[in-house]
Amino acid sequence: MRDQQAGAGPSERRLSTKEAAEVLGVKPETVYAYVSRGQLSSRRSPSGRGSTFAAEEVESLARRNRRESTANQTAGGELSVRTRITLIEEDRYYFRGVDAAELAARHSYEEIAEWLWTGRMRAGVTFTAPEASVAVARRAVDALPEHAGPTDRLRVAAIAAATADPLRFDLSEEAVLGTARTLIPTIVDALPPVLGARGDDGPLAHRLWTRLSGRQPDETSLRILDTALGLLADHDLAASTLAVRVAASARAHAYAAVSAGLGVIEGPLHGAASGLAHRMLLEVLDQGDAAPVVADELRAGRRVPGLGHRLYSGEDPRARVLFGLLEELPSAAPALAAARHVVETTARHAPLHANVDLALAVLTASSGMPSTAGETIFAVARTAGWIAHAMEEYGESPLRMRPSGLYVGPKPPQPLPGQPEQPGRGDPARLPETRT
């Protein structure tokens, strides 16, 4: 029964837990989950049994939930998810409302990660990993076969690090932040350094460089790598980020959510795209001409790697920043010229701009890195954004990322495979012929 507390005005209707659950369309235990998250307030019932809730507050929450549900429905078949992390519009993108390209130009990757996670700028922050966590991750990575790819190593390192963290199931904000600040340096430090390279100390970009190149980096090279990490830290709901949010919606811990992202990023249309551009640039440099290389890509029915982006009609702002910095690197001049030639050659037929994969390919190809290096940089960078999205999803209703399937298969009930049809199933059963 709806009740009114003694002394309460007529507008202060109270609902029982069962009634509140019916208005919200949830189970009674979910009503208390709303209370624990601060979305509802409760008051002990006069009888001392159970709680009551302000009807106006419950109905307001129900309306808000319906609006969010509508926002999450598809418009043209695309899932829409409310987020405060990244906005992409008019060929620019923003991290929590701040121009992301400017952030990357002025702040380190670690500082940008903190901004994504907390909305606060922690100047000079650096990430370090516990020795025990790194040791477990390194043993797991070292056990992989030599042909294991970079994402294989990062994924195994993340899973191994999870086993060393007994508190991984604590999804409170402070606990997840602690995980985030140690997981990223752990997966970097777990990667085997290139023979002759040194660097288990210092900023994350320096430690990552020693896992990608045997060359001694100069200050400019490290600044470009650090900026690339910052630029790639997040990019709204890319396929891998959506996978992370689905995992977080099911309340998978941060290590598992990151592992979900790493599983998706390996595709050639996502994190591995820069590797295709890297190999293309090497071929252009080898032939001294982009035209035959572009022609071969098109003849094979493939898109030219590193060109165009579905979210930017003009120039990819990430590519613009990286190309500007690469101009300062003398060793990048040949690869830069090759990239420009690819863009110019393709522009004769399609007005496509260079994207961040092509800029990343220039960096890796001119720094003595393998073609898979761009995938590693991309994955390490994006881990910051994945964790930001996981943290945001932990604050939402659990299991909300559950679309309904549109079944288009055979109409049931169908007979069991290999069994004769029974009367009442499928076509009308034939009666045996009788002779009279």
Side-chain angles (χ1 to χ4, degrees):
M1 291 287 293
R2 289 178 169 84
D3 68 308
Q4 292 184 0
Q5 301 294 340
S11 63
E12 295 181 319
R13 292 183 298 117
R14 309 292 298 179
L15 305 181
S16 68
T17 302
K18 180 180 179 182
E19 290 168 334
E22 289 174 352
V23 172
L24 291 165
V26 298
K27 296 178 181 179
E29 52 264 34
T30 304
V31 175
Y32 291 104
Y34 285 132
V35 174
S36 67
R37 292 199 294 266
Q39 295 174 277
L40 271 183
S41 56
S42 64
R43 186 186 302 169
R44 202 74 183 158
S45 67
S47 65
R49 293 182 176 182
S51 301
T52 65
F53 307 86
E56 185 177 349
E57 190 178 3
V58 172
E59 289 161 358
S60 175
L61 177 60
R63 287 192 296 271
R64 187 161 68 249
N65 285 350
R66 284 194 293 270
R67 286 196 300 270
E68 291 186 359
S69 177
T70 301
N72 288 341
Q73 296 304 309
T74 59
E78 294 186 358
L79 182 66
S80 177
V81 178
R82 292 164 61 92
T83 178
R84 296 179 177 87
I85 299 172
T86 300
L87 169 68
I88 301 174
E89 64 177 10
E90 297 180 357
D91 291 341
R92 299 175 72 179
Y93 71 125
Y94 305 84
F95 291 160
R96 295 191 179 275
V98 178
D99 189 291
E102 291 184 14
L103 270 176
R106 297 169 183 264
H107 294 277
S108 71
Y109 169 68
E110 288 98 323
E111 291 171 341
I112 292 171
E114 288 283 344
W115 176 255
L116 287 172
W117 299 335
T118 69
R120 297 186 297 273
M121 184 57 66
R122 294 180 61 201
V125 64
T126 58
F127 297 154
T128 56
E131 291 184 7
S133 177
V134 174
V136 169
R138 276 181 177 168
R139 285 197 297 271
V141 170
D142 290 344
L144 293 173
E146 288 187 11
H147 63 265
T151 309
D152 296 324
R153 295 189 175 97
L154 293 170
R155 189 162 55 241
V156 166
I159 294 169
T163 66
D165 183 2
L167 303 180
R168 62 188 179 277
F169 296 104
D170 184 350
L171 301 185
S172 65
E173 182 176 333
E174 282 306 309
V176 177
L177 280 172
T179 296
R181 292 166 182 149
T182 58
L183 174 56
I184 295 176
T186 294
I187 61 177
V188 169
D189 291 351
L191 296 174
V194 176
L195 190 63
R198 296 180 180 179
D200 276 341
D201 301 310
L204 191 79
H206 182 260
R207 279 140 56 201
L208 180 58
W209 180 282
T210 63
R211 270 76 183 170
L212 301 175
S213 176
R215 296 182 187 175
Q216 187 65 27
D218 54 29
E219 185 177 335
T220 302
S221 298
L222 290 178
R223 181 162 56 90
I224 295 172
L225 177 57
D226 185 68
T227 302
L229 291 169
L231 290 167
L232 293 165
D234 192 53
H235 207 234
D236 195 32
L237 286 182
S240 57
T241 305
L242 181 59
V244 168
R245 292 199 76 128
V246 171
S249 177
R251 296 305 183 256
H253 54 69
Y255 299 91
V258 167
S259 181
L262 287 166
V264 175
I265 207 172
E266 208 166 5
L269 301 181
H270 197 8
S274 66
L276 302 176
H278 177 114
R279 288 188 285 272
M280 177 187 68
L281 288 183
L282 293 184
E283 193 171 348
V284 172
L285 289 170
D286 183 58
Q287 296 199 27
D289 188 356
V293 177
V294 169
D296 286 343
E297 294 288 341
L298 297 176
R299 186 180 297 117
R302 297 187 295 263
R303 294 178 55 188
V304 179
L307 298 182
H309 196 290
R310 64 188 297 266
L311 297 181
Y312 299 115
S313 57
E315 189 177 20
D316 183 336
R318 302 167 298 175
R320 182 183 67 250
V321 173
L322 279 183
F323 280 130
L325 290 174
L326 287 164
E327 293 278 3
E328 304 173 21
L329 196 64
S331 60
L336 268 174
R340 289 196 192 95
H341 199 187
V342 168
V343 174
E344 292 166 0
T345 300
T346 310
R348 301 171 192 168
H349 308 284
L352 295 175
H353 297 273
N355 61 36
V356 72
D357 296 315
L358 189 61
L360 205 54
V362 172
L363 171 62
T364 57
S366 60
S367 301
M369 299 178 183
S371 61
T372 55
E375 184 178 341
T376 305
I377 295 168
F378 193 105
V380 170
R382 192 56 55 87
T383 302
W386 290 338
I387 294 174
H389 281 272
M391 292 175 65
E392 190 173 62
E393 192 60 39
Y394 291 147
E396 300 287 349
S397 301
L399 293 175
R400 70 179 186 132
M401 310 289 282
R402 175 62 170 87
S404 298
L406 181 62
Y407 180 75
V408 294
K411 185 177 180 180
Q414 295 288 317
L416 288 171
Q419 298 296 316
E421 291 187 356
Q422 300 296 319
R425 293 175 178 267
D427 296 331
R430 249 185 209 179
L431 296 176
E433 291 183 358
T434 58
R435 297 191 180 189
T436 59

